[in-house]
PDB file of all heavy atoms in Angstrom:
ATOM      1  N   ALA A 186       9.540  11.296   1.603  1.00  0.00           N
ATOM      2  CA  ALA A 186       8.296  11.861   2.136  1.00  0.00           C
ATOM      3  C   ALA A 186       7.514  12.527   1.007  1.00  0.00           C
ATOM      4  O   ALA A 186       7.289  11.922  -0.037  1.00  0.00           O
ATOM      5  CB  ALA A 186       8.601  12.831   3.268  1.00  0.00           C
ATOM      6  N   MET A 187       7.113  13.788   1.198  1.00  0.00           N
ATOM      7  CA  MET A 187       6.403  14.496   0.137  1.00  0.00           C
ATOM      8  C   MET A 187       7.353  15.132  -0.874  1.00  0.00           C
ATOM      9  O   MET A 187       6.922  15.551  -1.952  1.00  0.00           O
ATOM     10  CB  MET A 187       5.507  15.588   0.729  1.00  0.00           C
ATOM     11  CG  MET A 187       4.287  15.061   1.453  1.00  0.00           C
ATOM     12  SD  MET A 187       3.233  16.374   2.097  1.00  0.00           S
ATOM     13  CE  MET A 187       2.637  17.108   0.568  1.00  0.00           C
ATOM     14  N   GLY A 188       8.633  15.207  -0.546  1.00  0.00           N
ATOM     15  CA  GLY A 188       9.573  15.831  -1.461  1.00  0.00           C
ATOM     16  C   GLY A 188      10.849  16.288  -0.783  1.00  0.00           C
ATOM     17  O   GLY A 188      11.657  16.988  -1.385  1.00  0.00           O
ATOM     18  N   THR A 189      11.010  15.881   0.472  1.00  0.00           N
ATOM     19  CA  THR A 189      12.215  16.234   1.222  1.00  0.00           C
ATOM     20  C   THR A 189      12.899  14.946   1.659  1.00  0.00           C
ATOM     21  O   THR A 189      12.266  14.074   2.249  1.00  0.00           O
ATOM     22  CB  THR A 189      11.869  17.078   2.463  1.00  0.00           C
ATOM     23  OG1 THR A 189      11.155  18.244   2.042  1.00  0.00           O
ATOM     24  CG2 THR A 189      13.121  17.492   3.209  1.00  0.00           C
ATOM     25  N   SER A 190      14.171  14.828   1.386  1.00  0.00           N
ATOM     26  CA  SER A 190      14.873  13.598   1.718  1.00  0.00           C
ATOM     27  C   SER A 190      14.896  13.372   3.224  1.00  0.00           C
ATOM     28  O   SER A 190      14.842  14.314   4.010  1.00  0.00           O
ATOM     29  CB  SER A 190      16.313  13.657   1.195  1.00  0.00           C
ATOM     30  OG  SER A 190      17.066  14.615   1.901  1.00  0.00           O
ATOM     31  N   GLN A 191      14.998  12.115   3.609  1.00  0.00           N
ATOM     32  CA  GLN A 191      15.018  11.771   5.031  1.00  0.00           C
ATOM     33  C   GLN A 191      16.181  12.457   5.749  1.00  0.00           C
ATOM     34  O   GLN A 191      16.043  12.893   6.896  1.00  0.00           O
ATOM     35  CB  GLN A 191      15.122  10.253   5.188  1.00  0.00           C
ATOM     36  CG  GLN A 191      15.145   9.810   6.660  1.00  0.00           C
ATOM     37  CD  GLN A 191      15.321   8.321   6.811  1.00  0.00           C
ATOM     38  OE1 GLN A 191      15.105   7.553   5.875  1.00  0.00           O
ATOM     39  NE2 GLN A 191      15.747   7.881   7.983  1.00  0.00           N
ATOM     40  N   LYS A 192      17.317  12.568   5.079  1.00  0.00           N
ATOM     41  CA  LYS A 192      18.479  13.181   5.706  1.00  0.00           C
ATOM     42  C   LYS A 192      18.234  14.638   6.089  1.00  0.00           C
ATOM     43  O   LYS A 192      18.828  15.152   7.041  1.00  0.00           O
ATOM     44  CB  LYS A 192      19.685  13.080   4.771  1.00  0.00           C
ATOM     45  CG  LYS A 192      20.192  11.659   4.564  1.00  0.00           C
ATOM     46  CD  LYS A 192      21.403  11.633   3.651  1.00  0.00           C
ATOM     47  CE  LYS A 192      21.917  10.206   3.461  1.00  0.00           C
ATOM     48  NZ  LYS A 192      23.082  10.158   2.542  1.00  0.00           N
ATOM     49  N   ARG A 193      17.375  15.323   5.345  1.00  0.00           N
ATOM     50  CA  ARG A 193      17.097  16.728   5.604  1.00  0.00           C
ATOM     51  C   ARG A 193      15.936  16.942   6.567  1.00  0.00           C
ATOM     52  O   ARG A 193      15.751  18.049   7.074  1.00  0.00           O
ATOM     53  CB  ARG A 193      16.791  17.452   4.296  1.00  0.00           C
ATOM     54  CG  ARG A 193      17.959  17.519   3.312  1.00  0.00           C
ATOM     55  CD  ARG A 193      17.565  18.278   2.064  1.00  0.00           C
ATOM     56  NE  ARG A 193      17.123  19.633   2.404  1.00  0.00           N
ATOM     57  CZ  ARG A 193      16.243  20.323   1.689  1.00  0.00           C
ATOM     58  NH1 ARG A 193      15.695  19.795   0.621  1.00  0.00           N
ATOM     59  NH2 ARG A 193      15.907  21.545   2.055  1.00  0.00           N
ATOM     60  N   SER A 194      15.144  15.896   6.821  1.00  0.00           N
ATOM     61  CA  SER A 194      13.931  16.091   7.612  1.00  0.00           C
ATOM     62  C   SER A 194      13.879  15.297   8.902  1.00  0.00           C
ATOM     63  O   SER A 194      13.064  15.595   9.782  1.00  0.00           O
ATOM     64  CB  SER A 194      12.702  15.717   6.771  1.00  0.00           C
ATOM     65  OG  SER A 194      12.719  14.335   6.452  1.00  0.00           O
ATOM     66  N   THR A 195      14.745  14.307   9.027  1.00  0.00           N
ATOM     67  CA  THR A 195      14.643  13.376  10.153  1.00  0.00           C
ATOM     68  C   THR A 195      15.988  13.275  10.868  1.00  0.00           C
ATOM     69  O   THR A 195      17.021  13.052  10.234  1.00  0.00           O
ATOM     70  CB  THR A 195      14.205  11.981   9.654  1.00  0.00           C
ATOM     71  OG1 THR A 195      12.997  12.117   8.900  1.00  0.00           O
ATOM     72  CG2 THR A 195      13.957  11.043  10.822  1.00  0.00           C
ATOM     73  N   SER A 196      15.959  13.417  12.174  1.00  0.00           N
ATOM     74  CA  SER A 196      17.191  13.494  12.954  1.00  0.00           C
ATOM     75  C   SER A 196      17.884  12.149  13.124  1.00  0.00           C
ATOM     76  O   SER A 196      19.069  12.103  13.459  1.00  0.00           O
ATOM     77  CB  SER A 196      16.895  14.089  14.341  1.00  0.00           C
ATOM     78  OG  SER A 196      15.984  13.264  15.051  1.00  0.00           O
ATOM     79  N   THR A 197      17.169  11.065  12.903  1.00  0.00           N
ATOM     80  CA  THR A 197      17.750   9.739  13.085  1.00  0.00           C
ATOM     81  C   THR A 197      17.766   8.988  11.758  1.00  0.00           C
ATOM     82  O   THR A 197      16.854   9.127  10.942  1.00  0.00           O
ATOM     83  CB  THR A 197      16.946   8.912  14.106  1.00  0.00           C
ATOM     84  OG1 THR A 197      15.561   8.926  13.733  1.00  0.00           O
ATOM     85  CG2 THR A 197      17.079   9.477  15.500  1.00  0.00           C
ATOM     86  N   ASP A 198      18.793   8.181  11.562  1.00  0.00           N
ATOM     87  CA  ASP A 198      18.883   7.389  10.336  1.00  0.00           C
ATOM     88  C   ASP A 198      17.853   6.272  10.328  1.00  0.00           C
ATOM     89  O   ASP A 198      17.286   5.949   9.285  1.00  0.00           O
ATOM     90  CB  ASP A 198      20.287   6.803  10.181  1.00  0.00           C
ATOM     91  CG  ASP A 198      21.335   7.868   9.925  1.00  0.00           C
ATOM     92  OD1 ASP A 198      20.978   8.932   9.377  1.00  0.00           O
ATOM     93  OD2 ASP A 198      22.511   7.640  10.283  1.00  0.00           O
ATOM     94  N   ASP A 199      17.632   5.656  11.478  1.00  0.00           N
ATOM     95  CA  ASP A 199      16.724   4.513  11.586  1.00  0.00           C
ATOM     96  C   ASP A 199      15.460   4.940  12.337  1.00  0.00           C
ATOM     97  O   ASP A 199      15.481   5.127  13.561  1.00  0.00           O
ATOM     98  CB  ASP A 199      17.401   3.358  12.316  1.00  0.00           C
ATOM     99  CG  ASP A 199      18.647   2.875  11.582  1.00  0.00           C
ATOM    100  OD1 ASP A 199      18.689   3.034  10.349  1.00  0.00           O
ATOM    101  OD2 ASP A 199      19.561   2.343  12.242  1.00  0.00           O
ATOM    102  N   ILE A 200      14.368   5.068  11.605  1.00  0.00           N
ATOM    103  CA  ILE A 200      13.135   5.589  12.202  1.00  0.00           C
ATOM    104  C   ILE A 200      12.504   4.588  13.156  1.00  0.00           C
ATOM    105  O   ILE A 200      11.875   4.970  14.153  1.00  0.00           O
ATOM    106  CB  ILE A 200      12.142   5.979  11.086  1.00  0.00           C
ATOM    107  CG1 ILE A 200      12.771   7.024  10.154  1.00  0.00           C
ATOM    108  CG2 ILE A 200      10.850   6.540  11.682  1.00  0.00           C
ATOM    109  CD1 ILE A 200      11.905   7.391   8.963  1.00  0.00           C
ATOM    110  N   HIS A 201      12.681   3.297  12.905  1.00  0.00           N
ATOM    111  CA  HIS A 201      12.015   2.306  13.750  1.00  0.00           C
ATOM    112  C   HIS A 201      12.507   2.357  15.193  1.00  0.00           C
ATOM    113  O   HIS A 201      11.799   1.914  16.105  1.00  0.00           O
ATOM    114  CB  HIS A 201      12.231   0.899  13.191  1.00  0.00           C
ATOM    115  CG  HIS A 201      13.619   0.370  13.391  1.00  0.00           C
ATOM    116  ND1 HIS A 201      14.675   0.689  12.561  1.00  0.00           N
ATOM    117  CD2 HIS A 201      14.129  -0.446  14.354  1.00  0.00           C
ATOM    118  CE1 HIS A 201      15.768   0.080  12.989  1.00  0.00           C
ATOM    119  NE2 HIS A 201      15.479  -0.606  14.077  1.00  0.00           N
ATOM    120  N   THR A 202      13.702   2.912  15.431  1.00  0.00           N
ATOM    121  CA  THR A 202      14.235   2.961  16.793  1.00  0.00           C
ATOM    122  C   THR A 202      13.444   3.928  17.675  1.00  0.00           C
ATOM    123  O   THR A 202      13.611   3.910  18.900  1.00  0.00           O
ATOM    124  CB  THR A 202      15.711   3.380  16.780  1.00  0.00           C
ATOM    125  OG1 THR A 202      15.841   4.676  16.160  1.00  0.00           O
ATOM    126  CG2 THR A 202      16.554   2.390  15.996  1.00  0.00           C
ATOM    127  N   ARG A 203      12.595   4.742  17.066  1.00  0.00           N
ATOM    128  CA  ARG A 203      11.789   5.660  17.865  1.00  0.00           C
ATOM    129  C   ARG A 203      10.744   4.928  18.702  1.00  0.00           C
ATOM    130  O   ARG A 203      10.133   5.518  19.592  1.00  0.00           O
ATOM    131  CB  ARG A 203      11.106   6.676  16.955  1.00  0.00           C
ATOM    132  CG  ARG A 203      12.097   7.598  16.248  1.00  0.00           C
ATOM    133  CD  ARG A 203      11.394   8.596  15.388  1.00  0.00           C
ATOM    134  NE  ARG A 203      12.337   9.529  14.763  1.00  0.00           N
ATOM    135  CZ  ARG A 203      11.975  10.547  14.013  1.00  0.00           C
ATOM    136  NH1 ARG A 203      10.695  10.784  13.780  1.00  0.00           N
ATOM    137  NH2 ARG A 203      12.880  11.345  13.482  1.00  0.00           N
TER     138      ARG A 203
END
Side-chain angles (χ1 to χ4, degrees):
M187 288 182 67
T189 303
S190 68
Q191 180 183 342
K192 292 181 179 179
R193 295 181 58 209
S194 64
T195 306
S196 61
T197 52
D198 292 333
D199 299 333
I200 302 176
H201 73 278
T202 59
R203 295 181 177 184

